[in-house]
Amino acid sequence: MKKAWILLVLFIFMVAIAVYTSSTTLEIVATTTGLLSVWLTARENIWAWPVGLINVACFFYMFGEAKLYADMTLQVFFFVLSIYGWIIWLTKREGSQVRPTRKITLRLVLILSFLLVAVTLLWGFVLKAYTDASIPYADALIATLSIIAQFLLSSKVLENWLCWIAVDIMSIAMYAYKDLYAVAFLYLIFFFIAIAGYISWKRELHLADRRNPVCPNVKQA
């Protein structure tokens, strides 16, 4: 009940900030559904995915209007990965409501690190050369890291939250620069939820290990 009240207060605060900064109705819907989706995700609630799909549709249109084309394209990846995550979370649940959390491998870290650098440079170059994107490389970096974070989240990998924390910090600065203050404030809330999500998922992982010490629930991705 206490957590529900906290979410309600955040919603009211978000709407107040949006109205104060003269945000559009679409921006208000995008920020509130985004807040609800991330909050549900941190609590490992399967309803995070359908709410997230609504959020993705809102952001797709909004980022197009702001000429943040990497972020707009990002929503297409999010849509696909959200459906993927919805399916993954409901499979191999081992008696739980959702699939157990697992940890990342060094091999996957190296692969994703290479992809982060390569895709960011390529995407940033394309945005700079062929579009009127205002901050192409920063936009591309945040978008690429967001895809990686979403993939790890959809795959139920603990370290997705560390990626989201980095994304949130950079996004706060970028959206404030683009005068999307309601969205910037949303990412500030995301930052704290991501920290809470990491702590909560890690605690659940350790509890699962204790319950099943022979075959610990730290299967790596």
Side-chain angles (χ1 to χ4, degrees), residues 65-160:
E65 289 190 328
K67 296 183 179 180
L68 293 172
Y69 300 121
D71 275 334
M72 184 179 71
T73 306
L74 178 64
Q75 305 313 306
V76 177
F77 289 99
F78 278 175
F79 187 87
V80 174
L81 287 172
S82 292
I83 295 175
Y84 166 75
W86 199 348
I87 295 171
I88 291 296
W89 278 37
L90 288 176
T91 59
K92 298 182 180 180
R93 290 181 282 179
E94 302 177 9
S96 302
Q97 291 186 341
V98 296
R99 176 181 289 209
T101 301
R102 48 186 177 161
K103 297 183 74 173
I104 199 169
T105 62
L106 177 59
R107 178 175 177 272
L108 186 55
V109 169
L110 295 175
I111 293 174
L112 293 179
S113 297
F114 171 78
L115 288 175
L116 175 62
V117 174
V119 174
T120 296
L121 292 176
L122 178 60
W123 201 345
F125 172 77
V126 171
L127 289 174
K128 183 177 182 180
Y130 300 104
T131 74
D132 58 346
S134 58
I135 40 178
Y137 285 99
D139 195 8
L141 172 61
I142 295 173
T144 305
L145 185 56
S146 296
I147 293 174
I148 291 173
Q150 185 65 37
F151 168 72
L152 294 175
L153 173 62
S154 298
S155 302
K156 205 64 166 53
V157 176
L158 172 66
E159 287 78 9
N160 84 86

Side-chain angles (χ1 to χ4, degrees), residues 4-205:
W5 275 107
I6 292 174
L7 181 64
L8 178 60
V9 171
L10 287 176
F11 265 120
I12 294 173
F13 198 40
M14 277 298 308
V15 172
I17 290 291
V19 172
Y20 179 76
T21 57
S22 301
S23 301
T24 65
T25 300
L26 180 63
E27 189 175 348
I28 294 174
V29 173
T31 53
T32 52
T33 54
L35 173 60
L36 179 58
S37 177
V38 174
W39 184 75
L40 290 171
T41 301
R43 300 191 66 189
E44 300 183 86
N45 190 309
I46 197 65
W47 282 99
W49 299 112
V51 174
L53 290 175
I54 298 173
N55 174 252
V56 164
C58 293
F59 273 127
F60 178 85
Y61 184 80
M62 190 173 67
F63 287 143
E65 289 190 328
K67 296 183 179 180
L68 293 172
Y69 300 121
D71 275 334
M72 184 179 71
T73 306
L74 178 64
Q75 305 313 306
V76 177
F77 289 99
F78 278 175
F79 187 87
V80 174
L81 287 172
S82 292
I83 295 175
Y84 166 75
W86 199 348
I87 295 171
I88 291 296
W89 278 37
L90 288 176
T91 59
K92 298 182 180 180
R93 290 181 282 179
E94 302 177 9
S96 302
Q97 291 186 341
V98 296
R99 176 181 289 209
T101 301
R102 48 186 177 161
K103 297 183 74 173
I104 199 169
T105 62
L106 177 59
R107 178 175 177 272
L108 186 55
V109 169
L110 295 175
I111 293 174
L112 293 179
S113 297
F114 171 78
L115 288 175
L116 175 62
V117 174
V119 174
T120 296
L121 292 176
L122 178 60
W123 201 345
F125 172 77
V126 171
L127 289 174
K128 183 177 182 180
Y130 300 104
T131 74
D132 58 346
S134 58
I135 40 178
Y137 285 99
D139 195 8
L141 172 61
I142 295 173
T144 305
L145 185 56
S146 296
I147 293 174
I148 291 173
Q150 185 65 37
F151 168 72
L152 294 175
L153 173 62
S154 298
S155 302
K156 205 64 166 53
V157 176
L158 172 66
E159 287 78 9
N160 84 86
W161 293 112
L162 300 179
C163 293
W164 282 124
I165 288 171
V167 168
D168 294 338
I169 293 173
M170 292 186 288
S171 295
I172 292 168
M174 183 177 72
Y175 294 132
Y177 172 75
K178 292 296 296 183
D179 296 328
L180 296 172
Y181 298 112
V183 181
F185 181 74
L186 174 66
Y187 273 83
L188 178 61
I189 297 176
F190 284 172
F191 171 74
F192 290 110
I193 295 178
I195 294 175
Y198 179 76
I199 295 172
S200 176
W201 282 33
K202 190 173 184 179
R203 183 186 301 119
E204 289 297 322
L205 191 60

